[in-house]
Amino acid sequence: MRVLGIETTCDETAAAIVGLSPAGKPEILSNAVLSQIAAHAAYGGVVPEIAARAHVEALDRIVARAFAEADLEPHQIDAVAAAAGPGLVGGVMVGLTTAKAIALVTGKPFIAVNHLEAHALTARLTDNLAFPYLLLLVSGGHTQLLVVRGVGDYLKLGGTIDDAVGEAFDKIAKMLGLAYPGGPSVEREAEAGDPERFDFPRPMSGRPKPDFSLSGLKTAVRLVAERIAPLSDRDVADLCASFQAAVVDLLVDRTRAGLRACREAGVMPNALVVAGGVSANQPIRRGLTRLATEAGLPMIAPPLALCGDNGAMIAWAGLERLKLGMVDDMGALARPRWPLDELRPKP
Ligand code: KG4
Ligand code: ZN
């Protein structure tokens, strides 16, 4: 069984082919990703129109590369999957239309994948993890705690009431004049900084419901940065380190509340999983690993190449759906908003 997956929801144009070995082991046969970072860097964030145009220009080439790297022809795959949202709708339409066209020409089934579900199921691709598990999904647009009970079956325990974690990293980076995307820049600066110099707030800490809030922390960083300006290199490093330390603490505290909520809902998770672009962050991984160990659970984070947006996660989610007969028709639309807990499991 082999599935082509196409991802165009944000600023990565990606296509990949994922298959199952004869023994049933997941295999990434190819994984082509073209980042548009350079096209958006000057604007300090993703410009939707530029992203959509860049997807149009690059996608054919990226799909061809995915087939070439896997040494396969289009008729040798069993289905075509594309992220149908949530995301920037212009880009999503490019991926969706391309996937439908390939499915029509090859006569293979088409699968409209939820981008968040693809992040959520990556741990099953890499670690063969069994349901259920607790997922901390942290990306540029999303910050949520979910119980992953099955394909299409998600119980949302909590989420952010304002900014997403990745968004907070990006805004702090922009404020401090660091390169876009902000997450990796802040993490790099923080390595040389003092995480205890500034005592930033850890919003929502201690609350039983596992919700998140980032905007107060972001404002606190801005106020300190304005007060001590002009900023030396040392100041920037210390601001980044102190901000990141607050993020680690609040994510660990909120995830601890999530574990409690999960158990109160009668679910014994098999693992704590972190996914989404922010899961590349090493101090965040270390904090979550400590928490998981404390709870007697394994902590699973994707390999770095699968943390950011990629086609392999879309192909894998498509393959999981294909196995269950969950295919879509050509009427599937691009969806700017598509909450995970609105997906329905197969009856
Ligand atoms: O999942 P993703 O690639 O795209 C979305 O679906 O949003 O996540 C991108 C986000 C950006 O906000 C980026 O700054 C953040 O993930 N990010 C990081 C790191 N690498 C990427 N945040 C913190 N530390 C990192 N190392
Ligand atoms: Zn993503």
Side-chain angles (χ1 to χ4, degrees), residues 7 9-12 86 115-116 119 137-142 164-170 180-188 244 275-284 304 307-310 313:
E7 157 62 35
T9 62
C10 192
D11 60 346
E12 260 92 27
H115 176 94
L116 303 176
H119 276 303
L137 180 59
V138 271
S139 71
H142 299 273
V165 178
E167 187 183 355
F169 270 96
D170 293 336
Y180 167 83
S185 301
V186 170
E187 182 176 2
R188 212 174 309 115
Q244 187 173 260
V278 180
S279 65
N281 186 282
Q282 296 298 336
I284 291 176
L304 287 186
C307 285
D309 294 343
N310 63 84
M313 69 181 194

Side-chain angles (χ1 to χ4, degrees), residues 20-260:
L20 286 180
S21 73
K25 193 176 169 298
E27 288 175 332
I28 299 176
L29 303 173
S30 63
N31 193 19
V33 184
L34 180 73
S35 171
Q36 303 176 1
I37 284 178
H40 302 284
Y43 306 93
V46 179
V47 184
E49 290 77 9
I50 293 178
R53 176 170 290 270
H55 288 306
V56 171
E57 286 168 358
L59 187 55
D60 285 3
R61 208 160 15 98
I62 294 298
V63 170
R65 197 195 294 168
F67 278 108
E69 275 174 18
D71 200 15
L72 290 169
E73 299 290 334
H75 68 268
Q76 291 175 298
I77 52 167
D78 298 289
V80 185
L88 302 172
V89 76
V92 175
M93 283 166 66
V94 175
L96 210 53
T97 311
T98 304
K100 286 177 184 174
I102 298 172
L104 276 175
V105 168
T106 55
K108 307 292 179 183
F110 162 73
I111 302 157
V113 167
N114 180 301
H115 176 94
L116 303 176
E117 172 162 75
H119 276 303
L121 297 177
T122 298
R124 289 168 54 77
L125 163 65
T126 56
D127 292 78
N128 205 9
L129 181 61
F131 299 120
Y133 48 91
L134 179 67
L135 172 71
L136 172 66
L137 180 59
V138 271
S139 71
H142 299 273
T143 297
Q144 312 179 355
L145 274 160
L146 300 143
V147 183
V148 183
R149 296 184 289 206
V151 176
D153 189 4
Y154 301 88
L155 173 67
K156 184 172 172 185
L157 300 171
T160 182
I161 59 161
D162 40 60
D163 293 350
V165 178
E167 187 183 355
F169 270 96
D170 293 336
K171 286 178 177 169
I172 296 293
K174 196 169 184 180
M175 182 196 305
L176 298 175
L178 303 174
Y180 167 83
S185 301
V186 170
E187 182 176 2
R188 212 174 309 115
E189 284 291 323
E191 279 167 20
D194 175 3
E196 289 175 4
R197 175 159 163 210
F198 305 108
D199 185 18
F200 291 131
R202 275 77 168 149
M204 301 257 184
S205 286
R207 294 207 194 172
K209 184 163 185 317
D211 281 329
F212 302 78
S213 169
L214 275 300
S215 78
L217 169 58
K218 182 190 63 189
T219 306
V221 177
R222 180 171 54 76
L223 292 177
V224 170
E226 284 170 5
R227 179 165 54 76
I228 65 171
L231 301 177
S232 66
D233 289 351
R234 166 99 257 145
D235 293 333
V236 170
D238 291 348
L239 284 165
C240 287
S242 300
F243 162 74
Q244 187 173 260
V247 172
V248 172
D249 284 353
L250 80 87
L251 287 179
V252 168
D253 179 88
R254 303 293 63 218
T255 307
R256 185 181 287 118
L259 278 169
R260 214 175 292 129

